[in-house]
Amino acid sequence: MQQGKCQCGAVQIEVADLPHEIGACFCAACRKINGGGPLLGVHGNSELKASGQEFIETYVSSDWAERGFCKKCGTTLFYHLTVGSKDYIYSAGLFDDAEFEIASEIFVDAKPAYMGFLSENSVKKTAQQVFEDVNKNDA
């Protein structure tokens, strides 16, 4: 069991098998909510295990997802799919002692030119490719 927490510690997230691979999303919404940078996300499952749930606020950011943050300190907690798998994607920054490798980057066509810090070995997809994958999985 791996535990992550927000900046102030009011919310603690538990993940049974924390993956070592993370993904980066450069869509406009992720960059807006993360201060101009991508969401660096750790894939979870469809069940949120968290203490301090009274401090979790959610924001519906699209027709298919909501985002969670700590309403006490503002830390980005998760991206939650509200359709399909209903999985949670947790902010990698919650897990202080975890070692991660960037395995995928999505919405790379929205990536600003000044962001050149991510792995050269990751799988990269444009917005069109992401939506084609989603539509393929829904068929």
Side-chain angles (χ1 to χ4, degrees):
M1 184 71 61
Q2 184 78 21
Q3 195 170 63
K5 62 183 177 188
C6 64
Q7 178 70 28
C8 71
V11 178
Q12 295 186 2
I13 306 282
E14 290 185 4
V15 179
D17 294 311
L18 188 69
H20 293 288
E21 295 182 336
I22 61 174
C25 181
F26 294 98
C27 76
C30 282
R31 288 186 293 114
K32 183 76 71 177
I33 207 160
N34 288 297
L39 171 65
L40 298 177
V42 181
H43 198 98
N45 59 26
S46 61
E47 183 182 358
L48 175 64
K49 290 187 178 183
S51 62
Q53 290 202 20
E54 67 271 21
F55 295 106
I56 297 175
E57 188 68 47
T58 57
Y59 168 72
V60 176
S61 58
S62 66
D63 291 341
W64 59 86
E66 65 183 3
R67 295 162 189 273
F69 60 92
C70 174
K71 62 183 175 182
K72 190 172 177 184
C73 68
T75 298
T76 296
L77 301 170
F78 57 78
Y79 173 84
H80 176 222
L81 294 166
T82 55
V83 298
S85 68
K86 300 198 177 180
D87 285 348
Y88 285 85
I89 311 302
Y90 299 108
S91 175
L94 300 174
F95 304 95
D96 294 333
D97 299 324
E99 294 283 330
F100 295 118
E101 176 182 323
I102 297 173
S104 65
E105 299 174 52
I106 60 173
F107 291 86
V108 293
D109 48 335
K111 179 178 168 181
Y114 62 84
M115 288 186 189
F117 59 92
L118 297 180
S119 173
E120 292 181 17
N121 298 322
S122 63
V123 174
K124 296 169 179 55
K125 294 184 179 183
T126 64
Q128 181 177 343
Q129 291 168 319
V130 170
F131 289 121
E132 286 172 356
D133 285 352
V134 168
N135 290 333
K136 188 181 345 175
N137 290 335
D138 285 343

